[in-house]
Amino acid sequence: MTMADRDLGALLLRQLREGRGWSWADLARALRDTARQLAIASLMNRQVASIQRTVARWESTSDRTTPGDRYQFLLAHLYARTATGDLAIGPGSDFDILMDALRHFGTPSQRVRQLVELVSRSGRSSSDDLLMLLSAGTQSTIAAVQRDPSKLDHEVINRLHKSVAEINGRIGAAPFVRLQLQLAPVVESCRHLLELDQIGPREELALLATSAYSLAGRLAFETRDDEAAMALYTGATKAAEHLTDRSHRAAVQTSHTMVTLHATGNLEAARTIAREATVEAHRGSSYAIRARAHAVHAEICARAGQADEAAAALDRAWKTVEQLTVDDPHGGFNADRLNGFDGLCALHAGNASHAHDTLNRSVAALRLSKDAVQRGIVNTDLALARLRLGDPAACVALLHEAVDITAATGGRVAAQRIRLARHNLRPWRAEDFLSELDDHIHDTLIGR
């Protein structure tokens, strides 16, 4: 994308807005109203003035801001319909001009085709527009249940569970914003169904809601919508209260702990949730969740400078890992993941050699696409261990890899860790290898 291309994209957006007689504030209100209609939590309650500033930056010839995935989706939905509400996406339509503007902004052709397909599939019914982000089968399933909640049965819930699992499985391979949009209709369906007094398999619905809300909270955090993330984790915890197996509630709380830590930096708040998670985990059936709960508690203690408490929690985590079974329904946490926590705790305790060995084992095992976000985090922790062992060049080499992983996944925690590592590298600011790293960070993470 050249600056001339970007300027033309900005001009086309301005012409679209003015063609409808809208000011920046008018367009901002229309976008917020559309977000509310589609239940996109990250934007539905945003102040008009905030959205207006974003709109102004798109149209500026001196700003490099371009519409992100969420705004592209909202703009597409908005401009696909005329003032009378009719769908108009053919040549010369506002929607067609919008797609041209997005191309000039550098939006990949695959993304443009996806927007066209999504809007085309929405047809003329505004009530199902949010569902167009899902597969045809899931669309019809949710639409049928929304029309008649009595149709909610085991098969329907299983289909929705599968949709949540598929979205979760794409973390690291697809932008978080896109996954957030795809999950939104499932989350909203759960909210609607849970409000009904008489509804099919109640516990199965609670389990679906627990999974959907928890994943939505994670995605909201990754897209820097911390207020929505906290509300979703609260909803997931509340839904899990209706489940017999307390492992589900503990699983939500371990994730909530880490999001609270990295979103707010409030160790005390994170520690409170972590303690609750360990209690709930021991009331549940899953050894994997127990091990993760102890590992998360260990990290919080280590960050707080409580070395003895962290060591005790790690010891409990390792003993629990030894009891893992292949049929654990909450599988996924294992010795490879625990090595990452162990290494981070060792870093905080000042044992760089032990940290290096355990982190090296962890990162070597994180090779699947679904592990990419975690690999970016552990890679940066390993880089810090190398630095503490007196090898800044090796630290930077690992950070280059972490930067590429983070750029590909959008992982927020890894980005935080990269900033921390770069701060620790300040004594080597005159070295060429650090200048090269700064250029890489700027070109790949900041300047894109």
Side-chain angles (χ1 to χ4, degrees):
M1 176 185 66
T2 66
M3 285 306 297
D5 285 331
R6 197 239 170 254
D7 288 348
L8 181 53
L11 175 63
L12 290 173
L13 283 188
R14 179 169 66 81
Q15 290 175 344
L16 280 173
R17 175 178 58 78
E18 292 177 344
R20 296 210 173 189
W22 289 341
S23 65
W24 283 338
D26 292 331
L27 177 54
R29 277 189 287 270
L31 288 168
R32 189 179 66 176
D33 290 345
T34 304
R36 287 174 175 172
Q37 178 187 351
L38 301 179
I40 299 176
S42 58
L43 295 173
M44 59 194 295
N45 295 317
R46 185 160 296 177
Q47 295 294 318
V48 168
S50 174
I51 301 176
Q52 181 178 327
R53 287 191 292 271
T54 300
V55 169
R57 286 196 291 270
W58 297 339
E59 297 183 15
S60 171
T61 57
S62 61
D63 198 306
R64 298 182 65 182
T65 303
T66 61
D69 274 7
R70 273 173 295 191
Y71 279 116
Q72 287 179 11
F73 177 67
L74 292 175
L75 288 166
H77 178 92
L78 190 60
Y79 284 122
R81 296 185 182 276
T82 65
T84 58
D86 295 322
L87 190 70
I89 61 176
S93 65
D94 283 356
F95 178 82
D96 186 48
I97 295 171
L98 173 65
M99 294 302 103
D100 195 24
L102 294 180
R103 291 187 190 95
H104 285 293
F105 274 120
T107 303
S109 58
Q110 181 181 3
R111 173 61 174 163
V112 172
R113 287 195 300 271
Q114 183 187 48
L115 287 169
V116 173
E117 179 185 355
L118 291 175
V119 172
S120 299
R121 283 164 53 189
S122 74
R124 294 186 177 273
S125 171
S126 61
S127 62
D128 292 339
D129 283 339
L130 187 59
L131 303 184
M132 64 187 180
L133 288 158
L134 298 168
S135 67
T138 306
Q139 283 184 51
S140 59
T141 295
I142 292 180
V145 171
Q146 287 178 345
R147 289 191 297 269
D148 182 3
S150 67
K151 293 185 180 295
L152 186 71
D153 56 20
H154 302 292
E155 182 180 355
V156 168
I157 290 180
N158 285 338
R159 287 180 190 169
L160 297 179
H161 264 301
K162 184 178 179 182
S163 294
V164 174
E166 287 175 348
I167 293 169
N168 186 47
R170 295 184 64 212
I171 287 179
F176 287 115
V177 169
R178 202 164 302 167
L179 299 179
Q180 189 180 34
L181 291 171
Q182 290 173 334
L183 185 61
V186 180
V187 170
E188 288 308 304
S189 293
C190 288
R191 282 176 174 158
H192 171 68
L193 292 169
L194 286 171
E195 290 173 354
L196 301 177
D197 292 330
Q198 300 296 325
I199 192 70
R202 195 78 188 183
E203 182 157 340
E204 290 183 38
L205 176 60
L207 179 57
L208 171 64
T210 299
S211 300
Y213 291 175
S214 184
L215 177 57
R218 158 79 187 282
L219 296 176
F221 163 76
E222 294 287 6
T223 57
R224 291 165 175 76
D225 192 351
D226 296 334
E227 184 177 351
M230 297 308 173
L232 285 160
Y233 276 113
T234 298
T237 303
K238 184 177 180 180
E241 290 174 357
H242 299 284
L243 301 175
T244 303
D245 188 350
R246 308 307 285 180
S247 294
H248 298 289
R249 196 165 191 265
V252 173
Q253 290 170 321
T254 56
S255 184
H256 191 186
T257 298
M258 301 311 288
V259 165
T260 299
L261 172 67
H262 294 294
T264 69
N266 190 330
L267 274 173
E268 190 54 43
R271 179 163 42 229
T272 297
I273 304 171
R275 286 172 176 164
E276 292 175 359
T278 59
V279 172
E280 291 295 297
H282 278 273
R283 292 174 178 168
S285 63
S286 172
Y287 285 100
I289 294 301
R290 289 185 198 179
R292 175 170 167 78
H294 287 304
V296 168
H297 188 215
E299 177 175 341
I300 300 300
C301 291
R303 288 178 178 275
Q306 299 170 330
D308 291 342
E309 290 87 342
L314 273 177
D315 182 61
R316 287 191 287 270
W318 279 113
K319 288 178 178 177
T320 307
V321 159
E322 294 174 357
Q323 301 177 70
L324 293 181
T325 59
V326 295
D327 60 346
D328 192 315
H330 296 274
F333 190 85
N334 53 28
D336 296 330
R337 294 295 178 118
L338 183 51
N339 271 319
F341 284 93
D342 195 332
L344 181 61
C345 289
L347 271 180
H348 284 284
N351 190 343
S353 179
H354 178 70
H356 176 273
D357 292 344
T358 53
L359 290 168
N360 202 40
R361 284 196 294 272
S362 181
V363 79
L366 297 171
R367 290 302 172 191
L368 299 178
S369 59
K370 66 178 182 179
D371 299 326
V373 174
Q374 188 66 21
R375 187 166 66 251
I377 296 170
V378 178
N379 233 46
T380 311
D381 292 338
L382 180 59
L384 273 175
R386 293 275 176 88
L387 180 62
R388 304 236 175 116
L389 288 172
D391 195 342
C395 168
V396 168
L398 281 168
L399 287 177
H400 277 292
E401 184 178 348
V403 167
D404 286 333
I405 295 171
T406 305
T409 63
R412 183 176 173 185
V413 175
Q416 291 178 350
R417 297 279 229 277
I418 289 170
R419 286 195 292 271
L420 173 63
R422 175 59 185 84
H423 178 79
N424 280 273
L425 282 163
R426 285 186 302 173
W428 293 272
R429 61 173 62 90
E431 298 291 340
D432 288 342
F433 60 71
L434 194 53
S435 298
E436 292 171 1
L437 176 64
D438 286 342
D439 289 343
H440 190 191
I441 291 173
H442 183 275
D443 293 343
T444 308
L445 294 179
I446 301 174
R448 359 179 236 168

